[in-house]
Amino acid sequence: MTTIPESHQDLLRSQFATLATIDDDGYPQLTEVIFLYDDEDGKVKFSLNRARYKTQYLEKRPKCSVFLLDLENPQRFLELRGRADVASDPDYVFADRVGAKYGGMDLRRMDQPGESRVVVTVEPVRVHAWTTPSRS
Amino acid sequence: MTTIPESHQDLLRSQFATLATIDDDGYPQLTEVIFLYDDEDGKVKFSLNRARYKTQYLEKRPKCSVFLLDLENPQRFLELRGRADVASDPDYVFADRVGAKYGGMDLRRMDQPGESRVVVTVEPVRVHAWTTPSRS
């Protein structure tokens, strides 16, 4: 139920993920973000600025979904529904691991003075891998 | 709040949308689907098989989100949060309008005998247009 099939593992190395949270009015809230698939524990993680709405929503309501779309073939995707664990990243240790994936990008430059950053780790409860025309 | 900026209107003509519903356990549920932007009333609509999980979720919980990603530049996207109105499409009238967008695709071929199809119309409550690097 939470195993990622071989056919879709390449999507864990892609550049962007759609992260879905639940907003304060109960609507899904979707944004496109950079992410890291952590080989050490096999989990999808995000480095988020704590001030962002999505971070606030995840702190209040951990249920989320990560959607990895094959941009070359949008009829192939991987969805991981799960619970978000939000932890502080005061020294940008995790942010720098994410930055390394993106050619050494410095995530500090995205933040204003006084802002802080968190590590969001998604504990999957359900994995949905899809290929071929979407049965809409 | 629900106006779609000129800069992102092209995305209403794209081929696929990510549709987010809320599943029975309260998690966001995301799938990639074909859609139609209806010029007549300016609304995003889907032709869905009634048997699909997403349709069942929308019938129970209308709060949803439609995410239109620029596949050429995933740092540009349009998100429409709204309420889904679900109506029967017994004669495939709307399904054929969607099919016409996709080169005359016949949506009947996606359905099994005895299955039925609905029109899902999203009444937007919030529009979020984004360009430039995602502030994650």
Side-chain angles (χ1 to χ4, degrees), chain A residues 86-136:
Chain A
V86 181
S88 295
D89 186 24
D91 300 318
Y92 285 74
V93 172
F94 177 72
D96 284 338
R97 287 186 60 203
V98 176
K101 173 182 172 182
Y102 296 87
M105 180 167 65
D106 186 354
L107 275 69
R108 290 167 192 78
R109 288 182 303 159
M110 295 182 182
D111 302 336
Q112 301 297 315
E115 289 184 341
S116 62
R117 203 154 266 275
V118 298
V119 188
V120 172
T121 302
V122 178
E123 301 283 347
V125 296
R126 187 177 179 89
V127 168
H128 181 212
W130 190 262
T131 315
T132 73
S134 175
R135 298 188 303 165
S136 58

Side-chain angles (χ1 to χ4, degrees), chain B residues 32-49:
Chain B
E32 196 73 2
V33 290
I34 59 175
F35 74 102
L36 185 72
Y37 174 69
D38 192 338
D39 284 309
E40 287 177 26
D41 58 9
K43 288 184 181 147
V44 169
K45 302 182 182 182
F46 301 91
S47 174
L48 300 184
N49 182 311

Side-chain angles (χ1 to χ4, degrees), chain B residues 34-36 45-47 94-102 107:
Chain B
I34 59 175
F35 74 102
L36 185 72
K45 302 182 182 182
F46 301 91
S47 174
F94 178 72
D96 284 338
R97 287 186 61 202
V98 176
K101 174 181 172 183
Y102 296 88
L107 276 68

Side-chain angles (χ1 to χ4, degrees), chain A residues 25 30 48 63 79 134 136, chain B residues 25 30 48 63 79 136:
Chain A
D25 297 316
L30 277 61
L48 301 185
K63 290 178 180 175
E79 186 204 16
S134 175
S136 58
Chain B
D25 297 317
L30 277 62
L48 300 184
K63 291 178 179 175
E79 186 206 15
S136 57

Side-chain angles (χ1 to χ4, degrees), chain B residues 40-97:
Chain B
E40 287 177 26
D41 58 9
K43 288 184 181 147
V44 169
K45 302 182 182 182
F46 301 91
S47 174
L48 300 184
N49 182 311
R50 186 156 242 154
R52 300 287 172 262
Y53 279 122
K54 53 181 158 272
T55 312
Q56 296 173 29
Y57 297 156
L58 290 173
E59 290 192 299
K60 286 188 264 187
R61 291 171 295 277
K63 291 178 179 175
C64 64
S65 180
V66 179
F67 188 76
L68 300 174
L69 183 66
D70 181 348
L71 300 180
E72 306 285 316
N73 172 18
Q75 304 198 65
R76 189 171 76 99
F77 59 81
L78 177 66
E79 186 206 15
L80 299 93
R81 273 172 250 174
R83 299 183 73 86
D85 173 78
V86 181
S88 294
D89 186 24
D91 299 319
Y92 285 73
V93 172
F94 178 72
D96 284 338
R97 287 186 61 202

